[in-house]
Amino acid sequence: MTIKACIFDLDGVLTDTAEYHFLAWKALADELGVPFTREDNEQLKGVDRMGSLHFILQKGGLSLSQHKVQQLADKKNVHYRQLIAHMTEADRFDGVTELFEQLRAHDIAIGLASSSKNAQLVLQRIGISEAFDYVADASQIKQGKPAPEIFLTVAEALNVAPAQCVGIEDSLAGLQAIIDAGMVAVGIGDKTVLSQAEKVYAHIGELEVTAILRQL
Ligand code: BG6
Ligand code: MG
């Protein structure tokens, strides 16, 4: 099977916003008195805003009104937006621009599958809004990662069969989504954490189009 599309996650794959999500959740958890570690955060990567908040509330054994839960979610988002406000093109991970150029040169379509409702904003800040053939974010998806829906939506929009797509993720939930979508899964991050992936690279800059073409 020839690879015809690459579908990227955003946070933690193309730029370091995974860290900003962590910092904002950590601040909220501290305020609520809920212990929240980087290890806990691995379970949250790729998970949408409400799903993430429910994880933290459950960890703390907290049961709050819907109104209060919404307030906390909004508060985290305000904090997160403050953290990303200063981002520029310089915050794009090294190698992203070159990888996209290589993909274009080989006629491989480029898609984005992000669980974040802030995805468009982050893409603008790092100057790659125009780089994608199709962008899907949380606002148009019924079942978030680990469900395969978002990756399948992008593949369909690109008119490429799932088996001819490579999905690239830094999260456990996202890798599960890619695998269940029937795509080739690439992990970005720690090999021991992302062991389900076909291949794991510490940084996106290590991923080359030649590896993609030979299905890694
Ligand atoms: C994902 C991140 O991309 O988006 C999660 O990995 C985050 O950490 C999720 O919670 C939702 O983001 P947002 O911006 O809609 O709150
Ligand atoms: Mg991510």
Side-chain angles (χ1 to χ4, degrees), residues 48-141:
D48 67 16
R49 197 179 306 162
M50 272 303 170
S52 300
L53 179 54
H54 280 121
F55 175 96
I56 291 170
L57 295 177
Q58 204 172 8
K59 186 143 196 275
L62 297 172
S63 172
L64 305 174
S65 70
Q66 218 179 323
H67 177 68
K68 182 69 187 165
V69 170
Q70 187 59 55
Q71 272 185 341
L72 293 174
D74 293 346
K75 186 169 187 178
K76 183 268 176 180
N77 195 47
V78 168
H79 185 188
Y80 175 71
R81 280 184 172 247
Q82 283 166 355
L83 294 173
I84 63 172
H86 68 276
M87 288 182 82
T88 68
E89 291 186 12
D91 292 297
R92 198 186 301 165
F93 277 149
D94 288 346
V96 170
T97 311
E98 294 77 4
L99 176 61
F100 280 20
E101 279 169 12
Q102 285 182 15
L103 293 171
R104 285 268 163 256
H106 286 83
D107 217 16
I108 296 174
I110 303 174
L112 188 94
S114 174
S115 306
S116 172
K117 289 185 177 158
N118 292 296
Q120 293 286 2
L121 179 63
V122 172
L123 291 179
Q124 275 167 25
R125 296 223 67 93
I126 63 171
I128 53 170
S129 305
E130 307 300 318
F132 298 91
D133 297 299
Y134 190 79
V135 170
D137 68 28
S139 56
Q140 72 211 74
I141 296 301

Side-chain angles (χ1 to χ4, degrees), residues 9-15 17-18 21 45-47 113-115 145 168-171 174:
D9 171 46
L10 172 62
D11 299 320
V13 169
L14 301 178
T15 185
T17 36
H21 280 295
K45 285 185 181 172
V47 175
S114 174
S115 306
K145 301 169 189 177
I168 301 135
E169 266 286 352
D170 69 320
S171 72

Side-chain angles (χ1 to χ4, degrees), residues 189-212:
D190 187 337
K191 242 188 202 154
T192 52
V193 176
L194 305 174
S195 55
Q196 318 174 64
E198 189 74 30
K199 189 104 189 212
V200 180
Y201 299 92
H203 303 284
I204 187 86
E206 291 165 17
L207 176 59
E208 302 231 7
V209 79
T210 44
I212 291 170

